[in-house]
Amino acid sequence: MSSSELISALRDAHKTHLTQQLQNPDHWQTLMSQASASLGDTPIGKLVDSESLSQVVEQWVVEANSAQGLQDVIVQTTEAVLQAAENDDATVGELLSEAHFEAVLEKSLQLKALREKAIHAGMNHPLVSEMVSEMLYTGIKNFLLEENALAKLPGVSSMMKIGRKSVVGKAMGGMEESIRGYLQKNIRETLRTGEQWLNKQLTNERIEQLARDGYRRVAPLKPADYLAQIPNGTVKDLVEQGCQIGDESARLDYTRRLISVGIKAAVDALCEKTLADILSGMQISEDKIREFTAPALAKGASILVEQGVLEPFITWSLDDFYESEACKKALESVNS
């Protein structure tokens, strides 16, 4: 057998062997076990170059200029998930247990300074100013008209007695601008009073009472009942807007800086941890991961073989060696 024939036979046998291995769950089990043994107690920080990883992600963000290509996939996926959620009988109480709710509430109550800032910002928003001003004006107008307050003024009551009730309406109309002007001029003081009242009322005890009462009301409710009220086309519109916002934010230096800092911080945090440490913290073992991962990988390889994708790839990767000068020289040295 010539060297070229031997090389061809070895390559074909290697391809067949590798193709069969990749479809065998036991092979994946062994492969993952060997990888785990090789890593041993090596901290992840020594296996990952944070700088290189950051550069790769940053370049990906820069070069992948649009999320539009995945828009249809995101829409279809989201709609399928929402459809399933609409048909699910799970309640809010099942999704957020009372114990978890209490833990979140406890942390929220510690944010008093943030709460006061939020109240201040809300009460000083122009929309709130306009709303409060309009509410006060409407209340004053209704009091004067519906409670006949103007009719009690000297001179007005006599007019009403002789059937001239329209005088009251006209008088109110003439006062409209002056009342609105007064309210607008003094609205800041009114809102400041409202802010002080809210801060005084929203004590931790009061918030606890309101929050627990709200939780007990919504705990038996089903998210499905509310999801069913989402208008058709909402998901598509939101995904379209989300993709556009994502495209714009990806081009910002601000985004890339945050990604870089985030990656470095993540690697630094993992620097002294081993894979075993992380899995232990996640309350799962390597054996358990291999148990459900190996069959899935083997099944995936079988599908790739059925679709005619895996074998050409294996052939290409093996040809890189079997057609190389290094392989030919190795065989020649053996034959000689």
Side-chain angles (χ1 to χ4, degrees), residues 211-286:
R212 290 193 178 109
D213 180 62
Y215 177 78
R216 294 189 185 101
R217 289 174 184 271
V218 301
L221 303 179
K222 300 176 183 178
D225 296 335
Y226 297 93
L227 292 173
Q229 299 177 27
I230 298 176
N232 293 333
T234 300
V235 171
K236 184 176 183 301
D237 292 341
L238 288 176
V239 169
E240 182 178 345
Q241 291 299 319
C243 286
Q244 291 178 5
I245 293 172
D247 289 350
E248 291 299 324
S249 64
R251 297 186 180 97
L252 300 175
D253 290 337
Y254 169 83
T255 305
R256 297 199 293 275
R257 286 196 300 270
L258 292 186
I259 289 174
S260 179
V261 170
I263 291 174
K264 187 178 185 310
V267 174
D268 288 346
L270 293 170
C271 192
E272 300 303 322
K273 295 181 181 293
T274 65
L275 179 61
D277 293 334
I278 294 173
L279 293 178
S280 175
M282 296 170 67
Q283 299 182 2
I284 189 170
S285 66
E286 293 180 44

Side-chain angles (χ1 to χ4, degrees), residues 2 40 66 116 118 136 145-146 154 158 165 167-168 183 193 196 199 255 257 266 284 325:
S2 66
S66 179
E116 291 177 352
L136 289 172
L145 292 177
E146 296 177 10
S158 59
K165 292 185 179 181
V167 172
V168 178
L183 291 174
T193 302
Q196 292 170 350
N199 285 326
T255 305
R257 286 196 300 270
I284 189 170
E325 288 298 319

